[in-house]
Amino acid sequence: MMKKWLIILLLALLPSLQAVEYANPSELSRRIYLDLLDRTPTVEEYHRAKGIIASGKYASLVKELMNKEEYFDNLASKMIKHYSPVKGEKTHDFVSYLRLKKHVRDNYLGPKSDIRDFVNDLLTAKGVAAQNNMVLFYSNFEDSAKMTARLSASILGVPMKCAQCHDHKIHPDINVNHFWSMAAFFEGMDKKIVATMADLKKLEKNLADDKYSKSLGKENLAKTLEWVKLENDEKSIYSTFSELENMGRSGTRMGLTEEALEEIDFDDEDTPLQAPQLFINESVKSIKALKIDYELDGMEYTSTASHFKRDRALSETARPRDVLSKWMSWKEPLYMSRAVANWVTNWFMGRGYIMPFYDTYKVEGPNGSQLDRYAQLFMRSKFNIHAIVRAFVMSPTYRMKSSIKSDEEKFAFFKSRRIRHLSGTQVVNSLNRPYDEITKGLNTDAALKKLYRVAVYKQQLVDKIFPVSIDDTEVAYKGTLVQALKLSTDSKFLAYADKLAKGSFERFRGTTTTEFLDYIFAKLYTREPTKPEIAFFKAKIDFSKSYRSSGVFESVWTLMNSPEMRLY
C-alpha cells in the first residue's frame, strides 16, 4: 500500500522536481498551519513544527496535521464554500451551514472517501433542509439558469454561463443551446420555501400523490412527513434537535436568512410556520418531457434536456438530476477531476494552474500538463480528496519560498510563489485559542457545545470586522488595507491587544525583554525577531515600570497592526 502511494505521489511531483528555493522552516510552519488548519500555529506548535521541518521530517508534520479534527473541519468548510450558493443568495442561516459542515465532515471525508458520492448526493438532494442537510447546496433564489452556471463551473470546471446569451467566446464548441439544454435538467425540480400553513397544505396534497411521494424516496418522505406533523402540532422541528445542534437558540422562524424572510409574503390571514424550510423534490415529468423556454435577441427558443457533449442517450425512466449526476461524476471524470485539482491548487497557492480557476474545460501548455497530472493522480486514488491535498502540500511548488518581488509571469507559471494575505477568518482563528485548548478538560458534549458557540462568535466577528470579501485574486494591498483599518480601530481587537499585552506583561516582567519578544514574534509572526528588531523594542519597553507605562501595549498593538501579521 505504501509503495502504491509513493508511486502516485512521485508521478505527480516528477515534473516539478526542479531546483527551487524552499521556504525556511519558520515560513513553512506558518503556511502549512494556515492552509490545512486555517490558523497560525501556537507558540509551542511553531517551535515543534520548525524543529520537525528542520530535521527533514516535513512529511510526518503533514500527516500529523491532516489527522487533526481542525483539518477535516477546514476541508468541509472549503467544500461548502466552493459548491454552495454565494452569500446573500443562501436560503438558510449560518447555524444551518454549521450543521451541514458537520454532515459533510462525518459522511464524505473518511480515509477512503470518494468525492463522487458527495457530488451525487449534492446534485440529487431532496427533502427539507433541516433533515437533509445536502438540500442547503441549493437556494430558493436560484432558477435553472443560475444553478446551471454555478454547478457546471464548480463541479465540471466548465463555465457554461458564458454561453447563456451567446455562443461561448473562449470555447466555441459550447453554444447557447448547450447551456439551456443543461438548464432543462433542473426544470424537473420542485423547489420552494414552505413558510405558511397554506404552503404546508399544498405540500401535503402533493405528498398524498403516490408518484410524487415515490420520487422523494422512502427516507426523505418519512422525514418530510415528520416535519409536516410537527408543524400541524404547532411545534418547531428545531425543538427536536439537541442544544448542541441548535447552539442554544430557540424561537419561531429561526433557520432562514434575513434575505429569505424578506422574500416571503406572510399574509395577515395566513399562519406562518414554526420553522419554514427549503423543500426540494423531483417532478413526476419524464426526462424527455423537460424543456425550458428562453429569449435571445428578441427571439423565443426552447431547449430540451441534453448533456452539452451530446454523446449520451437519455433514459426515459431515470430522474433528471440522477442522470446529470451520473454523467458529471462517473461518465466524464476528467472534467470533474481537473476542476477539483485546480480548486485545490487555488486553495494552496492563491491561484489555479489555469485561471480563472473555475474554467478547466480545455487546458494546454506546461500549466495544463501539470494540472492533468494532478487530475490523473486524483482519479488513480479513486477520487480521494485527501490524496490530492497530500500530494500538493508535499510538492516542491508548494514549498517554494514566497517572493517579495512581484513577477506576474513567474507567478503565472508557478516558477515563483506570491506572498498571500490571511482571510478575515484566518486572522480571527489565529487570535483565538485553537481546537485542542478550547476542548481541554471538557467531555465530548460540553466540548462540542463550546466549539459551536465559539464558531458562531467567530463568524459574527468576521462579518463585523471584515465585511468586505478578501481574496488573493484581488490586488494584495486592497485586502490588507481593509484589514489594517479594521484591526487598528475596532474595539474588540483593541481589547484583545490589551488582554494579550497585559497577560504578556505579567508573564515576562520577571524575565527579559528578549524572552518577551521571542514569544510575541512567534505568536503573531511565526518567527524569531531579528537583532535590529530586538534593539528597537528594547528601547521602547521597560518591565520595571507599571503596565500602562511599560510600553508593552504599544509594542503589541504595533506588531498586530503591521502588514506582516496579515501575510504568509
Side-chain angles (χ1 to χ4, degrees):
M1 190 65 168
M2 195 68 181
K3 287 182 179 179
K4 179 182 176 183
W5 276 110
L6 188 59
I7 291 170
I8 290 175
L9 188 60
L10 284 173
L11 285 171
L13 303 185
L14 192 60
S16 58
L17 291 175
Q18 51 188 323
V20 297
E21 185 180 0
Y22 284 130
N24 63 45
S26 294
E27 183 182 352
L28 195 52
S29 297
R30 184 176 179 87
R31 181 185 302 167
I32 195 69
Y33 267 84
L34 280 165
D35 284 337
L36 291 183
L37 305 190
D38 222 26
R39 65 171 175 84
T40 55
T42 64
V43 175
E44 294 76 15
E45 287 171 335
Y46 157 63
H47 287 298
R48 183 172 176 274
K50 179 186 171 188
I52 291 172
I53 295 170
S55 64
K57 297 179 180 178
Y58 173 71
S60 67
L61 178 63
V62 169
K63 182 178 180 181
E64 177 186 316
L65 295 183
M66 288 184 67
N67 281 324
K68 282 182 172 286
E69 278 298 312
E70 287 174 280
Y71 160 71
F72 294 103
D73 196 67
N74 183 34
L75 177 55
S77 295
K78 292 284 192 293
M79 290 171 67
I80 290 169
K81 182 178 180 180
H82 181 60
Y83 292 106
S84 65
V86 297
K87 187 176 180 179
E89 292 199 352
K90 288 182 169 69
T91 303
H92 283 262
D93 65 3
F94 169 69
V95 175
S96 301
Y97 279 88
L98 281 182
R99 283 193 289 266
L100 173 61
K101 180 167 71 173
K102 185 177 186 305
H103 178 79
V104 170
R105 189 179 65 206
D106 292 348
N107 292 277
Y108 304 104
L109 297 181
K112 296 183 179 180
S113 58
D114 184 329
I115 203 171
R116 293 176 299 180
D117 296 328
F118 165 79
V119 170
N120 179 70
D121 289 353
L122 181 163
L123 282 170
T124 62
K126 288 177 283 191
V128 291
Q131 293 174 308
N132 180 4
N133 297 136
M134 298 301 280
V135 166
L136 293 168
F137 282 104
Y138 291 94
S139 163
N140 199 52
F141 293 103
E142 291 184 318
D143 57 15
S144 297
K146 279 192 173 183
M147 287 185 283
T148 300
R150 175 170 64 85
L151 295 170
S152 65
S154 61
I155 295 174
L156 281 180
V158 182
M160 297 289 286
K161 180 174 176 58
C162 296
Q164 182 175 350
C165 303
H166 51 72
D167 292 349
H168 208 294
K169 300 295 185 184
I170 300 174
H171 309 302
D173 54 328
I174 301 176
N175 60 44
V176 173
N177 192 41
H178 290 147
F179 174 88
W180 290 103
S181 293
M182 185 174 284
F185 281 94
F186 296 106
E187 285 294 288
M189 292 177 73
D190 180 17
K191 176 166 64 75
K192 58 202 172 193
I193 295 179
V194 182
T196 66
M197 287 305 296
D199 295 337
L200 195 70
K201 295 304 176 187
K202 290 178 183 177
L203 178 61
E204 285 185 279
K205 185 178 180 181
N206 288 339
L207 293 173
D209 181 277
D210 286 343
K211 287 185 177 179
Y212 188 87
S213 59
K214 185 178 180 181
S215 177
L216 195 57
K218 288 183 179 180
E219 184 178 354
N220 284 321
L221 175 61
K223 289 182 176 181
T224 302
L225 290 173
E226 178 188 343
W227 169 67
V228 169
K229 184 178 185 306
L230 283 167
E231 288 292 350
N232 281 323
D233 293 341
E234 298 184 3
K235 294 180 181 178
S236 168
I237 183 71
Y238 300 115
S239 68
T240 67
F241 287 7
S242 67
E243 183 184 350
L244 168 64
E245 291 174 300
N246 285 329
M247 276 160 275
R249 300 188 319 160
S250 61
T252 303
R253 297 203 294 277
M254 61 182 277
L256 294 185
T257 60
E258 292 181 6
E259 292 88 353
L261 286 170
E262 287 174 1
E263 289 292 311
I264 299 170
D265 182 17
F266 288 109
D267 194 312
D268 292 339
E269 297 180 2
D270 201 358
T271 305
L273 298 183
Q274 299 293 315
Q277 293 292 313
L278 177 63
F279 171 82
I280 298 176
N281 194 16
E282 207 78 60
S283 74
V284 296
K285 290 182 179 180
S286 69
I287 194 167
K288 292 190 176 180
L290 294 177
K291 62 180 182 178
I292 187 167
D293 299 322
Y294 62 97
E295 186 176 308
L296 186 63
D297 296 332
M299 301 288 288
E300 293 184 355
Y301 299 89
T302 299
S303 285
T304 56
S306 174
H307 306 307
F308 80 89
K309 293 291 286 184
R310 298 186 178 281
D311 58 352
R312 304 282 173 184
L314 297 180
S315 167
E316 184 71 39
T317 57
R319 296 187 179 95
R321 285 186 295 147
D322 288 348
V323 173
L324 192 61
S325 170
K326 290 293 186 290
W327 183 79
M328 281 186 168
S329 307
W330 276 270
K331 301 296 184 182
E332 298 286 350
L334 181 59
Y335 289 119
M336 185 191 70
S337 298
R338 280 176 177 167
V340 170
N342 211 43
W343 164 60
V344 169
T345 307
N346 190 67
W347 166 10
F348 290 120
M349 295 292 289
R351 61 172 294 120
Y353 275 110
I354 305 299
M355 291 298 287
F357 80 92
Y358 52 80
D359 182 1
T360 53
Y361 176 47
K362 290 182 178 177
V363 298
E364 54 188 23
N367 280 10
S369 298
Q370 184 67 347
L371 176 63
D372 268 349
R373 290 187 183 95
Y374 277 105
Q376 293 293 337
L377 177 150
F378 185 53
M379 289 191 283
R380 285 194 297 272
S381 72
K382 297 182 179 179
F383 305 92
N384 185 279
I385 187 69
H386 307 301
I388 197 166
V389 167
R390 186 183 298 108
F392 200 87
V393 297
M394 288 299 300
S395 70
T397 299
Y398 179 77
R399 289 184 280 172
M400 280 192 295
K401 179 180 176 63
S402 293
S403 175
I404 297 176
K405 182 181 178 182
S406 181
D407 189 326
E408 288 302 322
E409 184 176 354
K410 283 188 176 181
F411 292 155
F413 288 97
F414 292 80
K415 294 179 179 179
S416 185
R417 183 186 178 97
R418 184 198 303 272
I419 289 177
R420 301 176 64 191
H421 53 267
L422 279 66
S423 67
T425 301
Q426 288 174 325
V427 171
V428 172
N429 284 346
S430 299
L431 295 179
N432 277 275
R433 290 182 298 158
Y435 179 95
D436 294 340
E437 286 186 21
I438 293 170
T439 58
K440 191 175 182 180
L442 300 174
N443 61 46
T444 303
D445 284 346
L448 287 172
K449 287 176 183 176
K450 189 164 185 178
L451 280 174
Y452 273 125
R453 289 197 299 272
V454 170
V456 174
Y457 167 75
K458 285 181 180 178
Q459 185 61 38
Q460 291 171 343
L461 200 58
V462 171
D463 287 344
K464 180 182 178 182
I465 297 172
F466 302 107
V468 179
S469 173
I470 299 168
D471 191 275
D472 280 298
T473 56
E474 299 178 37
V475 178
Y477 77 83
K478 179 181 177 184
T480 55
L481 179 60
V482 171
Q483 290 178 341
L485 291 172
K486 293 293 181 181
L487 281 171
S488 61
T489 60
D490 184 81
S491 60
K492 287 185 181 293
F493 271 103
L494 288 172
Y496 175 85
D498 185 54
K499 182 180 177 181
L500 177 60
K502 193 174 291 182
S504 300
F505 176 78
E506 295 298 331
R507 178 175 177 179
F508 292 100
R509 66 186 307 181
T511 60
T512 66
T513 303
T514 302
E515 288 179 90
F516 160 68
L517 292 172
D518 284 344
Y519 168 80
I520 205 69
F521 269 77
K523 181 171 181 61
L524 299 179
Y525 295 170
T526 324
R527 66 171 177 85
E528 286 80 29
T530 63
K531 287 182 179 180
E533 286 168 337
I534 292 173
F536 174 84
F537 282 103
K538 273 188 173 181
K540 308 292 181 183
I541 297 170
D542 187 347
F543 277 101
S544 67
K545 296 181 178 179
S546 68
Y547 167 62
R548 291 300 174 192
S549 303
S550 66
V552 172
F553 171 79
E554 290 78 7
S555 298
V556 169
W557 186 92
T558 300
L559 291 170
M560 281 184 64
N561 284 282
S562 165
E564 186 176 351
M565 161 75 182
R566 305 181 300 277
L567 296 174
Y568 75 109

